Amino acid sequence: MNDSPVEINNILQRILPRVQKPARYTGGEYNQILKDWNNTKLHVCLIFPDIYDLGMSNLGLMILYDLINQRSDALAERAFSPWLDLEDQLRKFNLPLYALESKHPLKAFDILGFTLPYESLYTNALNILDLAQIPLFSDQRALQHPLIIAGGHSTFNPEPMHSFIDAFVIGEGEEVIQEILDVYSDWKIETLPFENIPPSISKSKRNELLKHLAKLDGVYVPKFYQEHYNLDNTFSRLEPIEPGAPETIRKRIVGKLPPPPTRLIVPYIETVHDRIPLEIMRGCTRGCRFCQAGMITRPVRERGVDEIIQSIQQSIKNTGYEEVGLLSLSSSDYTNILDLIHSFNQHFSLDTLSVSLPSLRIDSLSVELMQSLGLARRNGFTLAPEAATERMRRIINKPVTTDQVLETADAIYSNGWSTIKLYFMIGHPLETLEDVQAIVDLSKMVIRIGRKHIGNRAQVNVGVSTFIPKPHTPFQWTVCDTEEQIQIKLSMLKDQLRGKGIKLTWNPPDATFLEAWLSRGDRRMANVIYQAWQLGAKFDAWNDQRNLSAWQQAFEINQIEPDFYTHRQRAMDEAFPWDHISIGVRKKYLLQDYQWSLSGKTRQDCRDHCFACGILPKYNSLRKQNPGNAWKCPDVISREKSNQHDAIAN
Amino acid sequence: MMRLRIDFQKTSPIRFIGHLDLFRIWERTFRRAGIPLAYTQGFKHHPRINIASALPLGFTSSHEIMDFWLDQILPIKNVLEALQTALPSGLIVNQISPIELSAPSLQSILIGSEYQVTFLEKIPNLETIVEELQNRATIEIERRGKRIDIKPYLFSISLLPFDENNNQQLFLYLSSSQDQNARPDEVIQAIDYDPLDALFHRLQLVFENGTKTSQ
Ligand code: SF4
């Protein structure tokens, strides 16, 4: 057995010279935290199931790493998917997948925490369990196996992964992870030792742990629920079958964003976002109807300008990074954006610290912001109208006018940028071929503006993705385009968006469908995922690795028609497999918003006008504890206070 | 402006870092240390760092040499102390010394490198193989699709005592000048041994006028 860190390390030294980028697998980076294994009670390994180069840019993982390692009774280490070359070697030497810090095998940890921000990581998660030599199915695991938990945006529909994950963490992890560790810790003391326990007792003791976890707000333990289907195979309901398992699981949020991590691990090799990530705000009030992130991360909570500046200063000191990313779903909406930029320029020299400010609104203010940040013009300026006609933009609730797009493009080209990146989606509900043609026309109008200013240096890069009706959005009732429709639309774009100064990139339809099946699936998808993995599917997020025929075969084996999930218009009253997950926004509100969209009715930014989406009653006490401007929802006035108001008024 | 020469070790895990990554790692180390590197002028600013010789990925070294330039004059002791607090694991500073601003570039005075090669798999009659290699008129290897003779770049080869794990070891002294050079793994390939089954360690760099980095 090659199971001790020393043995693993010895074999690794022989293996690593044989793989690409071996520094993905060594650990030891600056700011890594390596604690004494034997003197620490709880061992957690945080896992991003794709390669290191991507995973090290995942902010959620870094936040939890920081928080867990602050506890004296716990340690957190990291693991990622090995690339194919290392996987071959691990399998050849029968070496279990290990954590980067201590080189302990994953199976020696108490808890493995997967971060699943998107669905195309699912087969990789299975592959990691397999490489870790841990049973894939939750019901096959016993006391000696780690508890497998998962969180992240894709787990807002946890059902497709319900067979593999012991407990899902729905929503923001900062507080609930502490509660999970506390529960685990108490249970562990009661239950030890884990060795030499008869299988039946072992399982029931593990069940005890899950029962405790199911009581935590925001934790979903799928094995305590039974699903029911209608005769037509549609989903009917999910029934709690364990006393204490709640009917609905309300997502967790933090009332106030905790201090951002500043002691970030500095990778030896370049990663996709090789910079300080600084979240300036969480949530979004815009209400674009296709956008799952915008719906599930409500309410908007902002960090203060001073806190942001201080955190950046601290992070530079601790890491030596030369770039910071000011992160949010919609940077221009940050209330004090001008103050922030002003303060930023006062504290930092742009010669030595560059900054990126993604997700800007389409208006001239954005151009001013980018200019005052001296942003690297060679990177181009990104605008995301998402649709090219005003009609379509009203349907998706991104009501910018075409004039605004063109005026902004004008401001961009006349201020020194030579490249504009335009992002669109095809396949929106009610889309016609005219709307697609408009993508061509609008892109050409933009390039003409560019040529007017800078001649042939002007460049437009058009990125086109395909709409997916994601759970918990106003569009969850609608359908995906068929492959045929997508191909027709794509070829319209490919035929016309070519030539000098124009570059078109698009998502392949198979990537779209896979993401759609996995995001909309019910419990029956679990076996499809398992089978697809067995047939060789992994790295599904990689266009050169995705194996669609494995997926098609997996659907066939399970006698499931994939179109059932993606090409079937849902009745207004249809139950969804994710209805037991509450995002705080009422389903009725989403439905109303869907109906509004069908009649072209837009909904303004709810910062300016609260539409009572449901967040405030759901998180009433949290809002009361955190009054004032940090939240962008209205204050809730407690009863006594409003009585006082009345008294004064009287 | 101040020019400093640093003599450092490269060990695990940083041995698995390539040459380009190493520049970025040093740059961030200096920034953490609060030592203001001078930057090159031009479109994209680069810190002025000059590493004498690229160490191939996977190799360890006792003495790598790098020059760097500072915008201000600082006591060397302070620079050293600040760097020590900011180094990532695997980089160890042996020494820092001041260098004339006008001194020639490291590359232009580099002559050769001394290596220790450790064989993780047993090689029968290593002694005869070494002798045979010494007596060959040419040692042809393939480099980027071209066949070249590295015999003129093999200054010296000899057996070393076994290491603590009883592995056979070899000493190599190879030319490292800008256009006449050989790598130890190329020599090892020439004796039909898989370089992936060997450990390569650079003992020191040899510069014109005979200075060795370890002196
Ligand atoms: S409660 Fe009102 S302000 Fe808050 S997210 Fe919902 S609609 Fe927007």
Side-chain angles (χ1 to χ4, degrees):
Chain A
M1 292 271 266
N2 303 319
D3 286 1
S4 79
V6 176
E7 283 163 317
I8 289 176
N9 211 6
N10 283 342
I11 299 176
L12 264 186
Q13 294 309 312
R14 298 300 306 275
I15 290 177
L16 290 184
R18 293 174 157 76
V19 301
Q20 292 171 32
K21 293 203 195 173
R24 287 168 175 164
Y25 312 113
T26 59
E29 310 93 318
Y30 197 79
N31 286 335
Q32 155 192 295
I33 297 170
L34 176 58
K35 289 194 180 179
D36 181 351
W37 183 274
N38 292 322
N39 286 320
T40 310
K41 201 163 77 188
L42 301 173
H43 310 108
V44 182
C45 186
L46 300 170
I47 303 169
F48 182 92
D50 205 312
I51 58 170
Y52 177 92
D53 321 34
L54 296 172
M56 280 304 290
S57 296
N58 181 266
L59 180 58
L61 189 129
M62 283 303 124
I63 290 173
L64 295 179
Y65 186 81
D66 186 55
L67 287 174
I68 297 172
N69 278 317
Q70 281 177 30
R71 288 173 70 119
S72 59
D73 64 341
L75 60 78
E77 303 195 5
R78 294 162 296 150
F80 303 94
S81 292
W83 187 241
L84 308 176
D85 53 0
L86 186 74
E87 177 175 343
D88 285 347
Q89 298 285 340
L90 293 177
R91 293 197 188 276
K92 186 166 133 199
F93 287 89
N94 193 25
L95 202 64
L97 189 65
Y98 59 91
L100 295 182
E101 278 77 1
S102 68
K103 312 288 181 295
H104 274 90
L106 297 194
K107 57 185 166 177
F109 282 79
D110 294 301
I111 301 176
L112 303 185
F114 281 93
T115 167
L116 298 172
Y118 43 93
E119 296 80 5
S120 44
L121 298 174
Y122 290 169
T123 49
N124 276 14
L126 266 53
N127 204 41
I128 282 184
L129 289 176
D130 186 58
L131 284 168
Q133 304 170 356
I134 294 169
L136 265 53
F137 287 92
S138 178
D139 60 11
Q140 287 168 3
R141 295 193 285 262
L143 264 191
Q144 73 271 24
H145 297 117
L147 173 76
I148 312 290
I149 61 177
H153 282 186
S154 78
T155 63
F156 277 82
N157 176 13
E159 298 309 278
M161 287 293 277
H162 82 284
S163 305
F164 316 108
I165 305 295
D166 299 321
F168 289 92
V169 178
I170 309 297
E172 296 167 3
E174 285 106 331
E175 288 172 0
V176 65
I177 191 71
Q178 308 286 11
E179 296 160 21
I180 291 173
L181 291 192
D182 291 342
V183 163
Y184 190 96
S185 171
D186 292 346
W187 168 83
K188 189 175 178 179
I189 296 168
E190 256 169 51
T191 313
L192 279 175
F194 288 172
E195 292 83 29
N196 303 323
I197 306 245
S200 62
I201 298 182
S202 165
K203 286 215 167 158
S204 78
K205 292 205 164 172
R206 197 176 165 91
N207 229 17
E208 285 304 310
L209 171 64
L210 295 178
K211 280 189 211 167
H212 291 309
L213 291 174
K215 292 195 188 105
L216 295 177
D217 196 10
V219 174
Y220 168 54
V221 178
K223 73 173 294 188
F224 295 149
Y225 298 80
Q226 174 68 51
E227 79 273 35
H228 299 280
Y229 299 100
N230 299 314
L231 286 174
D232 63 357
N233 266 332
T234 55
F235 176 80
S236 145
R237 68 195 175 94
L238 197 68
E239 176 197 6
I241 49 171
E242 173 69 38
E247 293 256 349
T248 56
I249 295 90
R250 182 181 68 160
K251 81 170 180 208
R252 281 300 282 267
I253 61 168
V254 292
K256 180 178 183 320
L257 299 186
T262 55
R263 220 163 247 299
L264 302 148
I265 295 173
V266 187
Y268 286 130
I269 56 170
E270 252 181 317
T271 53
V272 284
H273 297 304
D274 210 5
R275 62 187 184 205
I276 299 163
L278 216 137
E279 198 183 11
I280 58 175
M281 145 177 115
R282 203 174 281 179
C284 181
T285 46
R286 294 259 140 194
C288 300
R289 289 171 177 137
F290 55 84
C291 179
Q292 189 190 42
M295 296 294 159
I296 64 179
T297 60
R298 286 179 179 213
V300 167
R301 286 138 298 155
E302 296 185 345
R303 282 203 167 98
V305 170
D306 291 343
E307 186 187 11
I308 293 170
I309 297 291
Q310 279 162 20
S311 304
I312 297 173
Q313 282 171 325
Q314 199 56 49
S315 301
I316 295 171
K317 245 201 207 129
N318 291 342
T319 63
Y321 272 124
E322 56 287 326
E323 188 181 338
V324 57
L326 300 176
L327 308 180
S328 71
L329 289 172
S330 176
S331 301
S332 343
D333 289 331
Y334 177 74
T335 310
N336 297 313
I337 188 75
L338 292 172
D339 282 353
L340 175 62
I341 302 307
H342 182 70
S343 187
F344 190 92
N345 282 331
Q346 275 186 331
H347 285 89
F348 307 107
S349 149
L350 294 166
D351 287 341
T352 50
L353 183 70
S354 56
V355 54
S356 64
L357 190 65
S359 311
L360 287 169
R361 234 169 20 212
I362 303 176
D363 57 20
S364 50
L365 176 71
S366 302
V367 186
E368 280 165 39
L369 288 177
M370 292 281 270
Q371 263 187 308
S372 54
L373 281 172
L375 288 187
R377 293 195 161 80
R378 74 200 130 79
N379 291 338
F381 199 118
T382 300
L383 299 176
E386 305 292 358
T389 58
E390 286 178 12
R391 180 191 81 94
M392 197 74 254
R393 287 195 294 264
R394 275 197 303 277
I395 291 172
I396 64 174
N397 202 42
K398 193 151 190 185
V400 276
T401 64
T402 298
D403 284 345
Q404 265 173 300
V405 178
L406 298 177
E407 278 159 23
T408 310
D410 194 273
I412 295 168
Y413 284 122
S414 59
N415 279 294
W417 277 270
S418 57
T419 302
I420 292 183
K421 299 181 195 167
L422 288 176
Y423 285 114
F424 295 103
M425 255 185 216
I426 53 170
H428 287 302
L430 304 183
E431 185 183 53
T432 65
L433 292 185
E434 280 87 74
D435 295 305
V436 181
Q437 180 59 37
I439 295 177
V440 174
D441 301 340
L442 184 58
S443 305
K444 290 197 168 166
M445 279 191 258
V446 168
I447 189 90
R448 274 199 292 277
I449 292 172
R451 294 218 178 101
K452 194 181 79 198
H453 287 290
I454 53 171
N456 279 340
R457 278 201 305 124
Q459 175 78 31
V460 173
N461 295 343
V462 183
V464 174
S465 57
T466 306
F467 164 76
I468 294 170
K470 287 277 178 121
H472 305 292
T473 66
F475 283 160
Q476 61 184 341
W477 286 271
T478 187
V479 290
C480 279
D481 263 357
T482 62
E483 163 128 42
E484 204 192 342
Q485 288 169 308
I486 296 175
Q487 295 296 9
I488 291 172
K489 292 174 182 178
L490 280 179
S491 57
M492 276 175 72
L493 299 173
K494 288 188 229 173
D495 288 347
Q496 300 179 79
L497 287 175
R498 59 204 312 175
K500 191 156 171 46
I502 297 190
K503 206 175 104 203
L504 172 71
T505 49
W506 62 91
N507 278 7
D510 59 352
T512 303
F513 290 135
L514 185 58
E515 191 183 330
W517 299 327
L518 291 173
S519 64
R520 301 190 56 93
D522 50 38
R523 290 196 165 197
R524 293 169 291 196
M525 273 301 287
N527 280 333
V528 178
I529 296 170
Y530 176 69
Q531 226 109 35
W533 168 75
Q534 276 202 315
L535 292 165
K538 61 186 168 196
F539 287 111
D540 289 313
W542 294 64
N543 283 341
D544 56 348
Q545 299 293 326
R546 189 177 314 107
N547 180 348
L548 200 71
S549 75
W551 283 97
Q552 283 160 340
Q553 235 178 301
F555 274 109
E556 268 165 44
I557 294 168
N558 286 283
Q559 296 184 317
I560 291 178
E561 186 51 61
D563 291 358
F564 174 79
Y565 293 115
T566 46
H567 293 98
R568 189 170 55 81
Q569 177 72 34
R570 306 301 161 98
M572 299 291 178
D573 60 353
E574 181 166 334
F576 292 121
W578 51 85
D579 278 346
H580 60 297
I581 303 296
S582 161
I583 63 167
V585 178
R586 286 172 292 112
K587 192 177 179 183
K588 277 211 182 91
Y589 174 89
L590 297 175
L591 183 60
Q592 180 195 49
D593 209 46
Y594 178 47
Q595 285 160 334
W596 281 20
S597 91
L598 298 179
S599 56
K601 186 169 170 191
T602 58
R603 203 189 277 277
Q604 77 199 78
D605 191 326
C606 68
R607 246 170 226 263
D608 310 325
H609 176 104
C610 174
F611 291 95
C613 69
I615 285 288
L616 280 179
K618 275 269 182 191
Y619 300 98
N620 186 295
S621 58
L622 216 48
R623 180 61 176 129
K624 273 187 201 154
Q625 288 157 23
N626 299 277
N629 280 334
W631 283 44
K632 293 300 144 192
C633 304
D635 261 315
V636 283
I637 301 165
S638 56
R639 185 147 306 189
E640 304 87 74
K641 263 213 192 124
S642 60
N643 286 343
Q644 274 173 18
H645 276 288
D646 294 347
I648 292 165
N650 291 335
Chain B
M1 181 83 83
M2 183 186 200
R3 177 173 173 185
L4 294 169
R5 184 157 291 173
I6 187 164
D7 173 339
F8 65 94
Q9 300 177 34
K10 205 178 167 202
T11 64
S12 269
I14 251 183
R15 77 179 173 106
F16 289 115
I17 305 300
H19 191 54
L20 288 178
D21 287 327
L22 188 61
F23 277 97
R24 204 185 46 254
I25 289 169
W26 272 116
E27 193 186 336
R28 289 181 181 159
T29 302
F30 280 109
R31 190 172 292 112
R32 287 195 292 266
I35 301 169
L37 286 173
Y39 276 74
T40 57
Q41 299 302 310
F43 182 60
K44 196 170 192 295
H45 296 271
H46 285 290
R48 285 195 70 181
I49 295 179
N50 183 12
I51 298 179
S53 167
L55 190 69
L57 194 127
F59 286 33
T60 49
S61 174
S62 305
H63 295 283
E64 292 297 290
I65 303 293
M66 171 177 94
D67 282 357
F68 60 94
W69 285 258
L70 302 183
D71 271 331
Q72 59 202 93
I73 313 273
L74 294 173
I76 291 193
K77 191 171 137 281
N78 296 10
V79 173
L80 184 63
E81 277 173 9
L83 265 188
Q84 299 289 16
T85 62
L87 287 167
S89 87
L91 283 185
I92 298 161
V93 175
N94 297 321
Q95 209 186 8
I96 300 183
S97 43
I99 292 291
E100 292 276 315
L101 283 174
S102 60
S105 79
L106 285 165
Q107 282 82 1
S108 68
I109 55 167
L110 179 65
I111 296 173
S113 302
E114 296 180 358
Y115 296 98
Q116 166 190 292
V117 182
T118 306
F119 297 101
L120 299 172
E121 304 288 339
K122 189 124 204 81
I123 306 185
N125 358 321
L126 184 57
E127 209 160 331
T128 14
I129 292 172
V130 167
E131 243 168 66
E132 191 264 340
L133 208 57
Q134 280 165 328
N135 296 330
R136 269 205 236 166
T138 61
I139 303 174
E140 291 232 323
I141 58 114
E142 198 163 297
R143 186 189 288 169
R144 281 177 231 114
K146 271 194 263 169
R147 293 206 70 78
I148 59 163
D149 175 20
I150 55 166
K151 177 71 207 231
Y153 314 142
L154 174 61
F155 295 159
S156 159
I157 178 168
S158 56
L159 289 182
L160 286 172
F162 291 91
D163 76 353
E164 66 279 7
N165 297 319
N166 249 334
N167 291 318
Q168 294 162 299
Q169 297 198 103
L170 208 57
F171 171 83
L172 288 171
Y173 178 29
L174 302 172
S175 173
S176 300
S177 67
Q178 263 165 340
D179 29 49
Q180 306 195 322
N181 51 60
R183 285 168 46 153
D185 46 327
E186 293 174 327
V187 178
I188 297 313
Q189 240 164 338
I191 62 168
D192 281 333
Y193 183 89
D194 184 354
L196 293 176
D197 290 324
L199 298 175
F200 298 93
H201 180 74
R202 181 138 71 185
L203 297 162
Q204 56 195 347
L205 294 162
V206 182
F207 292 95
E208 260 168 34
N209 69 30
T211 38
K212 292 188 176 179
T213 55
S214 57
Q215 287 167 354

